[in-house]
Every structure is written in structure tokens, then in C-alpha cells.
Amino acid sequence: MNTTKASHGQWSSRFGFILAATGSAVGLGNIWKFPYMTGVSGGSAFVLTYLLCITLIGVPILIMEWLIGRRAQQNPIQAMEFVARQEGRSPAWKVLGFVGILGAFLILSFYSVIGGWALDYLFLTGSGTFQGMTGKETGAVFEGFLANAGSLMLWHTVFMGLTVWIVAMGVTTGLERASRIMMPGLALVLLILVGYAAVATDSFGRAAAFLFTPDWSAINGQVVLAALGHAFFTLSLGMGIMTAYGAYLGKEVNLLSTARTVVILDTTIALMAGMAIFPLVFAHNLEPSSGPGLIFVTLPIAFGNMTGGTVLGALFFVLLSFAALTSSMSLLEPVVALVEERTSLGRKSAAVTAGVVIWLLGVASLLSFNHWSEIQILGNNIFDFLDKLTSKFMLPLTGLGIIIFAGWFMNQEKIRQELGLEGTAYLIWSLVSRFVAPLAVIAVFISMLLG
Ligand code: PFF
């Protein structure tokens, strides 16, 4: 346990931990994925369901992943096995750890492709490419960019290379410390962009209405499944990552208040991204449902037309790439740990080997934006297939396994003590973690199967 080590200076262990967990949670999911999913899934119906999923399902699972990790002080697979044995249950529960790592492996393959887009846009924006451009023009730049497989491959390689380097060298701690400056920086630039959207367009109110006016009639099974999947994705749940982070937590840390902080930070960043992007979408008559390219088409309009936009734009993409790296390293870490443990490879070779395999799969994803766009798996191109397989199925199913294990196969009194809950608070916790969260996930799956 590194609590004592980390608690000198201004580094309380809780603060360091919050940084690491937030570093994993805040990433492309918040700024790239959240706005485009909102656009594709019809706006507020998605946003409100997502907020509900985060609160009622995401938070309890986040807390339980930490609690299991903290108890076991081991990697996610062994942690599940350890706690299962401790509770007198079958060690087979460790299968959740395996599925989680497989999920991390698949997600990183396409995550790195988008991380590469952010890196390339750092240079495009910084060199003034978007100066004075309209939405049509930035859209054309993006389309040209997607058609160029060589350039996508280059940036995917750079991003994956950086991730492998960070994990192989074990410089994750340094990176997390740097995020102490980078994360507030990202929030600040987003705030400036929200301000720009409010002042320079007349569509701020329309965007706010699009995101927040309740329209329950627009909610259907697909929207709920998308929102549920995104709640897992954005909080890095269902992959054992938070379990692994929990292993570094001291007993004195209050899991509930820590979860509240991480979730508020993560959600605020996503909502700010939405409020920066949608006013531009409406003001420039762009299609909200245009998909994964949404931020790469909209934000350059702002950077190309505001004073100091070139510098601010480059800064934004530096910070975004940084946020993406603190997430991607958390995705690679458990895969490397597993390879290291199961083979005779050392840490560096394990990181490189895992990196190359994941990179290859990523190449298949990036080709689905151009040469392989015709290749379909169950009606989706390779990129969409991997995204849906992980976010809509693997993460929620693993999360469901964890919450069922926690609520029904672990000693509840012990959990109550570890969370420091009494009276009504404990009653609410019990209701949510044992009934609401698992039943909600099951209901979403059943409605999917029927619908
Ligand atoms: N939560 C990260 C994001 O929103 O960008 C992505 C991610 C990282 C997903 C780690 C899953 C994970 F385990």
C-alpha cells in the first residue's frame, strides 16, 4: 500500500488517487464520444438517461470495484478470486477479471486511432489550417483526413507508441502528477470554448434545449443501451481498471465521497464539451448526428474564427491528447500485467508485444473509415462493431457480474462497515446496489432482446 508514501507534501493519498482515477475516467470518452453519441441518439433523451445511469448504476459499481481492489491488493483477476474465496464463494468469479481485460484490449485498439486524430489535429490547428473556415470547409478537411489511410496509420502508430512507452517505462506516476496541471487546463480551455459558443453564435439556447429539455418520448431501448454503455465507458468501469486502482487505496479513504468527486469531474467535463460543440453545430447548420467526426468538424470552426484561435486550438488538442494518454495507459496496464504474469516476458517486452497486437487490430479499425468501409460485421463496420461490442455488451455485462457478486455473494455487513454507512444512507445504498442497479441493467438487456 502506498498511502504513507504518497501522503507527504501536498500529496494526500486521496488526492493522488483521485487524480489517477480521474485521469483514467476523463479522456476521449468525455470530449469526443459523449457529444457525438448525444447527437446520434437524439440529444436530451440520451443525456438524461446517461445521467441517471451514472448515478444509479455507475456509482455503485465504481465503489464496489474500488472496494474489491482495496481488500485484495492484487491485480483484477486475482482480486476477484481472492475476494470470492474470502467470502466462501467459487474462485470462478475471476472470469469477470478476464473478460474485463479482454475489453480493455479491444477498446484500446480503436481508442488509439482516435487518439491519433487528436494528435494530428494538434498540428493542423496549430499551423493555422482552419483560419477563417466555414463548417463545410472543416468538414471537407475531415473527410480528406479520413480518406487518407496512410496518415491515419501514422498517427495511430504515434499514439500507440507513446502509450506503450509510458507503460513500459513505468512513468505513469509522473504522468498522473502532470495531469494535476493538465486537467484543470483542459477544463479551462473548454470553458473558454463554451464562452465563445455563447458569445459568437446565436444558438446557445437551442443547444441547451437540445441537451437538457426532457423529452421522455424520445427514449427507446437503443438510447438507453447507448447511455448505459457510455456510463461504463466514461467511468472506466467493467474492465477491472478501477479494481486495479483500488489496490493502491488506504483503508481510511472514504469511497463514497471519492466516487462523488471523480464522477462530478468526469460528468462536468463531458457536459462542458457538449455546450461548446452543439451551439456551433446549430449555428453552422451541421448535422448533430454526423457521428465520430463531430468534434473534429465543429471545434476547428471556433479555432479558425476566434482571436488567438490557432494557439488556443493547438493547446486544446495538446490537452486532449494528454487526457487520452492518461486513459490509454490505464487500458494498456492490465493487459501488460497479464502478459507479464502468464509468459516469460519482462515488462518492456510484454508492453511492446501487447502494443503491437493491439496496434494491428487498430489498423483494421482505421481502414474501416476508408479502404475497408464495405466490410461489415453484423451490420457495422469494424470500428463500430468493436465500439458496440465493448460498450454495449462487454462492459455492462462485466459490471452486472460485479454488482451481483457484491450485492448477493458478499457479506453486506462488512461492506457497510467498509463504506462507513449507517441508517438511511445504508438503506439507500442497499436498495440501489442490490436491486436498482442490477435490475436496471437486466431490464435494458431484456428490452434489447425483445425489441
Ligand atoms: N474512460 C475513458 C474515457 O472516457 O475516455 C476511456 C476508458 C479508459 C475506458 C479506461 C475504459 C477504461 F478502462
Side-chain angles (χ1 to χ4, degrees), residues 24-25 27-30 111 233-234 236 239 241 327 330-331:
S24 173
L28 295 168
N30 307 62
Y111 201 82
F233 187 91
T234 193
S236 306
M239 253 158 305
I241 286 172
S327 300
S330 77
L331 283 163

Short mmCIF file of all heavy atoms in Angstrom, two decimals, residues 24-25 27-30 111 233-234 236 239 241 327 330-331, ligand 1:
data_model
loop_
_atom_site.label_atom_id
_atom_site.label_comp_id
_atom_site.label_asym_id
_atom_site.label_seq_id
_atom_site.Cartn_x
_atom_site.Cartn_y
_atom_site.Cartn_z
N SER A 24 -7.90 8.30 -15.64
CA SER A 24 -8.43 7.20 -16.43
C SER A 24 -9.83 7.53 -16.96
O SER A 24 -10.15 7.26 -18.11
CB SER A 24 -8.48 5.92 -15.58
OG SER A 24 -9.14 4.90 -16.30
N ALA A 25 -10.64 8.12 -16.10
CA ALA A 25 -12.03 8.37 -16.49
C ALA A 25 -12.15 9.47 -17.55
O ALA A 25 -12.84 9.31 -18.56
CB ALA A 25 -12.85 8.75 -15.25
N GLY A 27 -11.28 11.42 -20.63
CA GLY A 27 -10.48 11.18 -21.83
C GLY A 27 -11.32 11.46 -23.06
O GLY A 27 -12.23 12.30 -23.03
N LEU A 28 -11.02 10.72 -24.11
CA LEU A 28 -11.76 10.92 -25.35
C LEU A 28 -13.25 10.65 -25.16
O LEU A 28 -14.09 11.19 -25.86
CB LEU A 28 -11.20 9.98 -26.42
CG LEU A 28 -9.75 10.25 -26.82
CD1 LEU A 28 -9.20 9.10 -27.65
CD2 LEU A 28 -9.65 11.56 -27.59
N GLY A 29 -13.56 9.78 -24.19
CA GLY A 29 -14.96 9.45 -23.92
C GLY A 29 -15.76 10.71 -23.62
O GLY A 29 -16.91 10.84 -24.05
N ASN A 30 -15.18 11.64 -22.90
CA ASN A 30 -15.90 12.84 -22.49
C ASN A 30 -16.02 13.85 -23.61
O ASN A 30 -17.06 14.48 -23.79
CB ASN A 30 -15.18 13.52 -21.32
CG ASN A 30 -14.94 12.56 -20.19
OD1 ASN A 30 -14.25 11.57 -20.35
ND2 ASN A 30 -15.55 12.82 -19.06
N TYR A 111 -9.42 3.13 -29.55
CA TYR A 111 -9.15 4.36 -28.78
C TYR A 111 -7.89 5.04 -29.32
O TYR A 111 -7.81 6.26 -29.46
CB TYR A 111 -8.95 3.99 -27.32
CG TYR A 111 -9.17 5.11 -26.33
CD1 TYR A 111 -10.45 5.44 -25.91
CD2 TYR A 111 -8.11 5.82 -25.80
CE1 TYR A 111 -10.66 6.44 -24.99
CE2 TYR A 111 -8.31 6.84 -24.87
CZ TYR A 111 -9.59 7.13 -24.47
OH TYR A 111 -9.79 8.14 -23.56
N PHE A 233 -18.25 3.25 -20.08
CA PHE A 233 -17.05 3.66 -20.82
C PHE A 233 -16.40 4.88 -20.16
O PHE A 233 -15.20 4.92 -19.91
CB PHE A 233 -17.44 3.99 -22.26
CG PHE A 233 -16.28 4.25 -23.18
CD1 PHE A 233 -15.69 3.21 -23.89
CD2 PHE A 233 -15.77 5.53 -23.34
CE1 PHE A 233 -14.61 3.45 -24.74
CE2 PHE A 233 -14.69 5.78 -24.19
CZ PHE A 233 -14.11 4.73 -24.89
N THR A 234 -17.21 5.88 -19.88
CA THR A 234 -16.65 7.14 -19.40
C THR A 234 -16.06 7.01 -18.00
O THR A 234 -15.11 7.69 -17.65
CB THR A 234 -17.69 8.28 -19.48
OG1 THR A 234 -17.02 9.52 -19.29
CG2 THR A 234 -18.78 8.14 -18.45
N SER A 236 -14.66 4.28 -16.94
CA SER A 236 -13.68 3.18 -16.99
C SER A 236 -14.11 1.98 -16.17
O SER A 236 -13.30 1.37 -15.47
CB SER A 236 -12.29 3.64 -16.51
OG SER A 236 -11.86 4.76 -17.20
N MET A 239 -13.87 -3.13 -16.53
CA MET A 239 -12.63 -3.60 -17.14
C MET A 239 -11.58 -3.94 -16.11
O MET A 239 -10.44 -4.17 -16.44
CB MET A 239 -12.08 -2.53 -18.05
CG MET A 239 -12.27 -2.89 -19.48
SD MET A 239 -12.22 -1.42 -20.42
CE MET A 239 -13.47 -0.51 -19.61
N ILE A 241 -10.18 -1.95 -14.30
CA ILE A 241 -9.20 -0.88 -14.13
C ILE A 241 -9.37 -0.21 -12.77
O ILE A 241 -8.40 0.03 -12.05
CB ILE A 241 -9.32 0.12 -15.29
CG1 ILE A 241 -8.72 -0.56 -16.52
CG2 ILE A 241 -8.63 1.43 -14.97
CD1 ILE A 241 -8.91 0.16 -17.79
N SER A 327 -5.79 7.98 -20.13
CA SER A 327 -6.79 6.91 -20.21
C SER A 327 -6.21 5.68 -20.91
O SER A 327 -6.42 4.55 -20.48
CB SER A 327 -8.03 7.36 -20.97
OG SER A 327 -8.62 8.46 -20.33
N SER A 330 -4.07 3.54 -18.83
CA SER A 330 -4.82 2.71 -17.88
C SER A 330 -5.44 1.51 -18.58
O SER A 330 -5.70 0.48 -17.96
CB SER A 330 -5.89 3.54 -17.15
OG SER A 330 -7.01 3.75 -17.96
N LEU A 331 -5.66 1.63 -19.90
CA LEU A 331 -6.19 0.48 -20.65
C LEU A 331 -5.10 -0.55 -20.93
O LEU A 331 -5.34 -1.75 -20.95
CB LEU A 331 -6.77 0.96 -21.98
CG LEU A 331 -8.14 1.63 -21.94
CD1 LEU A 331 -8.41 2.41 -23.21
CD2 LEU A 331 -9.24 0.61 -21.72
N1 PFF B 1 -12.86 6.50 -19.56
C1 PFF B 1 -12.05 6.80 -20.71
C2 PFF B 1 -12.68 7.92 -21.48
O1 PFF B 1 -13.80 8.33 -21.17
O2 PFF B 1 -12.06 8.38 -22.42
C3 PFF B 1 -11.87 5.63 -21.63
C4 PFF B 1 -11.58 4.38 -20.93
C5 PFF B 1 -10.42 4.26 -20.17
C6 PFF B 1 -12.48 3.39 -20.97
C7 PFF B 1 -10.21 3.14 -19.44
C8 PFF B 1 -12.29 2.26 -20.26
C9 PFF B 1 -11.17 2.16 -19.49
F1 PFF B 1 -11.00 1.09 -18.80
#
